[in-house]
Amino acid sequence: MRETRVSHLTRRGLLAAGGAAGLGAALAACGGGKDSTSGSGSAKEATTSGPWSFEDDRGVTAKASRTPENIVAFTGTAAALHDYGVAVKGVFGPTKTADGKPDVQAGDLDITKVKILGNVWGEFNVEEYAALAPDLLVTAMWAKDALWYVPDASRAKILKLAPSVALWAAETTMPKAIQRHAELAAALGGDLGTAKVADAKARFEKAAERLRQAAKANPGIKVLIGSASQDLFYVSPAKVSPDTRYFQSLGVEFVEPKVDAQGFFESLSWENADKYDADLIMMDNRTSAIQPSALTSKPTWKTLPAVKAGQVIPRTTEPIYSYDKCAPILEDLAQAIETAKKVG
């Protein structure tokens, strides 16, 4: 049985659906949190025998008689675990594009070696999930207790088959999200003590300082967080997303839209897409969003000063929370701000 129920106009559904891709990481107001980038534990601390437990960001403790081996995870979460040496058996969420290539959220996963239980919002094959004999389900959480890409219609059936872990993809910061994914990876047998992880962490910290210095050296550069659908241009505030909230703490200046009652984004018709002055535009890079190259038919888009100046960069709206994948995000934004001109 394939579950294909799609939520309509729910916060989670809007976030994942194509037209509202600009809701990106703007689903829940971010909380504070210590911006420590240190993980805890190592492969030596996780054994395959004896009781296993892990407290997730819901405050729920997943328990098993031994360290889980048959792990099924949301694609982006699976990609983060992969960077710490933890393999999964199955994934759900955007994994492959229409031409069969890995989705941007798949990271370095070999998508030919994992069972894809669902590739779009609302799709999760429960029978195939059960056939994997799962020991653990892992996913992200954009709203409290809401399991990302786990359909509401089949949630009860899915959660009966294995313990679950949910990690915040909102109400946190990028460093804290990385830390939590590293802690889970360590609990599952991943080795945080490798040279690869150490190098990636050092690169991340160097990139963060570079971004801080770029913002300081080129003050006044206004950055707009955008996403495109056929009919609407979505503008998000920085404070509600782990990535942009962190960038803001490093000194990056963002456009502050007049958001709707929920506070997650402002929907603009394409005729009003020029409402805000911006020197640099970050556009949602997910496959569910229309990319800048396909916006040439939108007259207002072409007249935006940042577009005319070529100051438009991709935004990794749903980061893969490992040092390896987040460091380039910081580097790319730093480079863009270093070279940006005031045009807004």
Side-chain angles (χ1 to χ4, degrees):
M1 176 180 69
R2 184 173 293 275
E3 299 289 348
T4 57
R5 178 177 179 269
V6 179
S7 301
H8 63 285
L9 298 182
T10 63
R11 290 190 294 171
R12 290 197 301 153
L14 282 173
L15 186 64
L23 313 192
L27 183 55
C30 288
K34 184 180 178 182
D35 284 348
S36 169
T37 57
S38 62
S40 65
S42 70
K44 294 179 181 179
E45 296 174 14
T47 60
T48 57
S49 61
W52 178 90
S53 66
F54 184 86
E55 183 176 353
D56 74 359
D57 291 347
R58 295 171 296 179
V60 173
T61 299
K63 298 180 179 180
S65 60
R66 58 182 177 81
T67 302
E69 295 180 348
N70 291 349
I71 303 166
V72 174
F74 169 68
T75 303
T77 309
L81 293 175
H82 174 275
D83 286 351
Y84 293 114
V86 177
V88 303
K89 294 294 181 68
V91 296
F92 54 95
T95 306
K96 63 180 179 180
T97 58
D99 58 5
K101 295 180 180 179
D103 187 274
V104 65
Q105 295 190 60
D108 292 333
L109 286 177
D110 184 343
I111 65 172
T112 68
K113 293 184 178 180
V114 292
K115 185 68 176 179
I116 301 174
L117 302 173
N119 197 57
V120 298
W121 180 257
E123 183 180 74
F124 192 116
N125 192 309
V126 181
E127 290 183 353
E128 291 183 350
Y129 175 59
L132 292 174
D135 296 324
L136 184 69
L137 177 82
V138 186
T139 191
M141 182 171 63
W142 291 90
K144 179 65 173 174
D145 298 327
L147 302 183
W148 194 227
Y149 273 80
V150 175
D152 291 337
S154 53
R155 173 179 167 134
K157 295 178 183 178
I158 292 167
L159 295 184
K160 285 181 180 178
L161 295 172
S164 62
V165 165
L167 298 180
W168 274 119
E171 303 202 14
T172 186
T173 63
M174 178 177 275
K176 181 63 175 178
I178 294 173
Q179 178 184 333
R180 289 294 285 151
H181 283 72
E183 288 171 354
L184 176 59
L188 292 171
D191 190 351
L192 306 189
T194 66
K196 180 180 178 181
V197 172
D199 290 346
K201 182 180 177 183
R203 181 183 175 186
F204 177 88
E205 293 171 344
K206 182 178 179 180
E209 182 58 28
R210 178 183 173 185
L211 180 55
R212 188 193 305 276
Q213 294 303 321
K216 183 177 180 180
N218 200 1
I221 296 297
K222 282 282 189 177
V223 181
L224 183 145
I225 307 164
S227 184
S229 72
Q230 186 60 40
D231 299 319
L232 296 171
F233 182 50
Y234 299 93
V235 183
S236 298
K239 64 181 180 180
V240 298
S241 165
D243 59 332
T244 51
R245 179 187 175 118
Y246 181 54
F247 304 157
Q248 194 171 47
S249 76
L250 295 174
V252 178
E253 298 181 45
F254 288 94
V255 168
E256 294 297 336
K258 295 181 179 179
V259 296
D260 63 12
Q262 290 185 319
F264 306 124
F265 62 94
E266 180 177 4
S267 304
L268 299 174
S269 66
W270 280 108
E271 291 77 10
N272 295 314
D274 58 355
K275 179 177 179 179
Y276 296 105
D277 291 332
D279 305 299
L280 178 66
I281 300 175
M282 302 175 67
M283 290 294 287
D284 188 346
N285 75 336
R286 293 178 298 175
T287 52
S288 56
I290 298 177
Q291 298 305 301
S293 61
L295 293 174
T296 55
S297 64
K298 307 293 185 185
T300 311
W301 170 257
K302 294 188 292 184
T303 64
L304 296 178
V307 175
K308 292 171 68 175
Q311 296 181 173
V312 178
I313 63 172
R315 179 199 175 202
T316 304
T317 305
E318 291 189 54
I320 294 168
Y321 287 114
S322 70
Y323 294 114
D324 184 69
K325 296 301 181 293
C326 288
I329 296 173
L330 291 165
E331 291 168 347
D332 290 347
L333 181 56
Q335 181 177 6
I337 291 178
E338 287 166 353
T339 59
K341 305 297 183 184
K342 283 290 295 178
V343 296

